Amino acid sequence: MLILVLNSGSSSIKYKFFDMREDSEKLLDKGLAERIGDKIPSHKEAVNFILNKAGSKIDAVGHRVVHGGDRFSKSVLIDDNVIKAIEDFIELAPLHNPPSLVTINESRKILSGIPHVAVFDTAFYYDMPEYAYFYAIPYKFYEKYKIRKYGFHGTSHRYVSEQATRLLNRPLNELRLITCHLGNGCSITAVKNGRAIDTSMGFTPLEGLVMGTRSGDLDPAIIPYIMEKESINVNAVVDMLNKKSGLLGVSGLTNDMRELMQERSKNKRVKLALDIFIYRIKKYIGAYAGVMSGCDAIIFTGGIGENNPGLIDEICKGVISKDTKTLVIPTDEELMIARDTYRIAVQM
Ligand code: ADP
């Protein structure tokens, strides 16, 4: 079955084209339509460009969707109700869900006779316990606005958990895993018996670990304090926390881990930024091992997680027991999307 996977971001669409069979998975082509809004006028043209490249022999399409809110526990065949739900969650993911919708609508129009499947970043967290996803603010805000932890990067965390069971040769339902997705965005998830029971990103992808340009956890009282001192509005502070903080904000140099690692011994602020980055990950690992009464393996993935063995040693030093394994597993969200799409499409 020939499956096209479309992963739409705000200014690009990544795609991979697979030949999926019962006993094999083969990548046929991959690419990136980028600079949408500049070189390519809109997501609509980008979809047309990709579909032309893939040719007419597509049997099913898998779409990455960032926010499925509290509605989707797994990947689903797209119909009008699913489209409506993705539209409903635009408010919670204003940068991510709209480009996905354009991509889905356009490709469903062109390839109308084949299954289209939505794979949600949030679905892996659907089963988190209430006490893990609730914030301790007045209950009415959950009822009125659905304010809760949703979690993100779920497709990546799910993919590396499944790969880990193959490497460890143990079933997922017997394992306590801590999966660390460290890229430009960073998140960490506790996976107990195959179920994500907690994760560091929250209502939005701003919570949790220190990231390239995002602050991660902080005391919310800092926000009004900065607003008052700097005479800036709330949008400016949120923008600062998303785009000017994290490794970039503390180092004052860059959010690029390669450059930071080179400058670390020469630049005090770079050293501080990396110390905070590592310390925050250690704290989460400790917390998640605590709530799972131990941890069988810690998995690292993402551009930082896959390429920095020295950093991983520093993170793990002193926090894990000698029985805990450390694994580096390259993530492949598109392959995970292709697997889900295949599973759903063959049943039709
Ligand atoms: P995104 O979250 O945008 O997909 P990536 O997963 O590609 O990002 O991760 C980007 C980060 O990975 C950057 O900080 C980059 O410096 C780091 N990175 C990528 N390749 C390497 C490498 N070979 N060595 C060290 N760091 C790397």
Side-chain angles (χ1 to χ4, degrees), residues 19-56:
D19 182 0
M20 302 291 288
R21 295 168 194 231
E22 202 50 51
D23 54 356
S24 72
E25 301 168 330
K26 192 167 157 205
L27 177 66
L28 302 175
D29 190 18
K30 63 174 184 173
L32 179 71
E34 56 183 342
R35 290 173 61 193
I36 298 174
D38 172 19
K39 205 175 75 178
I40 305 174
S42 73
H43 281 76
K44 224 167 136 171
E45 280 79 12
V47 171
N48 278 279
F49 165 78
I50 294 167
L51 294 185
N52 278 336
K53 235 181 141 251
S56 56

Side-chain angles (χ1 to χ4, degrees), residues 44 51 103-113 116:
K44 224 167 136 171
L51 294 185
T103 301
I104 291 170
N105 288 331
E106 188 62 14
S107 54
R108 275 181 94 209
K109 211 164 74 191
I110 301 169
L111 299 168
S112 57
H116 290 253

Side-chain angles (χ1 to χ4, degrees), residues 246-253 260 263-264 266-276:
L247 294 168
L248 170 70
V250 178
S251 72
L253 183 72
L260 291 168
E263 292 297 314
R264 190 178 189 182
K266 300 171 230 161
N267 182 324
K268 264 174 83 170
R269 269 175 54 188
V270 168
K271 181 178 177 307
L272 176 63
L274 289 168
D275 286 349
I276 304 170

Side-chain angles (χ1 to χ4, degrees), residues 14 181-185 255-258 302-304 307-308:
K14 261 198 250 173
H181 178 108
L182 307 177
N184 274 316
N255 57 318
D256 191 302
M257 186 53 80
R258 280 162 290 207
I304 296 173
N307 295 295
N308 291 281

